[in-house]
Amino acid sequence: MYTHDEQWRDAIDAYTTAAKTAGYAPATIAQVVKHVQRFSRWTSRAPWKVDYEHYRAWLESLTASRLTVLQHRTSLRSFYRWAMSAGRVLEDPTAEPTFVTKRLPVPAAWEE
């Protein structure tokens, strides 16, 4: 069984290989990897077990400038969009919920 660190290392290595093959700039790959590694140290979840709420909590925990938070968000989105296209996740945990996908609370009148 893979450890948490091994799971993340394998995921990041696979992303890096795919990004190089796709022709991404080395500096772009390095930045994405740096931010994904930072997230992997924060989370106790495996790369493919992350959900939107967990990802959002991480962004909110960052004590950095707005620009830095946006850069981290962009990096995680790049990583998880690749994961979607590679079939590693069924849903992108970085996708902002919409009114269609957001779960609304059950109205009190409907509760028994």
Side-chain angles (χ1 to χ4, degrees):
M1 180 122 157
Y2 283 114
T3 66
H4 177 265
D5 291 342
E6 289 170 332
Q7 290 174 357
W8 277 99
R9 190 172 25 258
D10 286 351
I12 291 168
D13 287 348
Y15 166 81
T16 301
T17 299
K20 285 179 182 176
T21 301
Y24 288 22
T28 300
I29 297 169
Q31 180 166 322
V32 170
V33 167
K34 179 176 78 171
H35 294 161
V36 172
Q37 287 172 333
R38 184 174 184 186
F39 177 68
S40 76
R41 288 189 298 272
W42 178 85
T43 185
S44 59
R45 297 184 182 188
W48 318 131
K49 301 294 182 187
V50 172
D51 61 21
Y52 177 77
E53 289 78 20
H54 193 71
Y55 153 78
R56 194 78 202 155
W58 174 68
L59 286 179
E60 291 171 1
S61 78
L62 296 176
T63 55
S65 71
R66 179 167 156 63
L67 176 61
T68 300
V69 172
L70 291 175
Q71 290 170 336
H72 281 73
R73 183 185 75 177
T74 300
S75 291
L76 268 285
R77 284 182 174 177
S78 178
F79 175 77
Y80 278 107
R81 286 184 179 144
W82 160 77
M84 284 271 306
S85 70
R88 301 204 178 222
V89 293
L90 297 176
E91 292 183 26
D92 178 356
T94 66
E96 296 285 332
T98 66
F99 72 95
V100 174
T101 61
K102 197 181 282 187
R103 279 203 173 139
L104 299 175
V106 176
W110 292 4
E111 291 183 16
E112 291 185 1

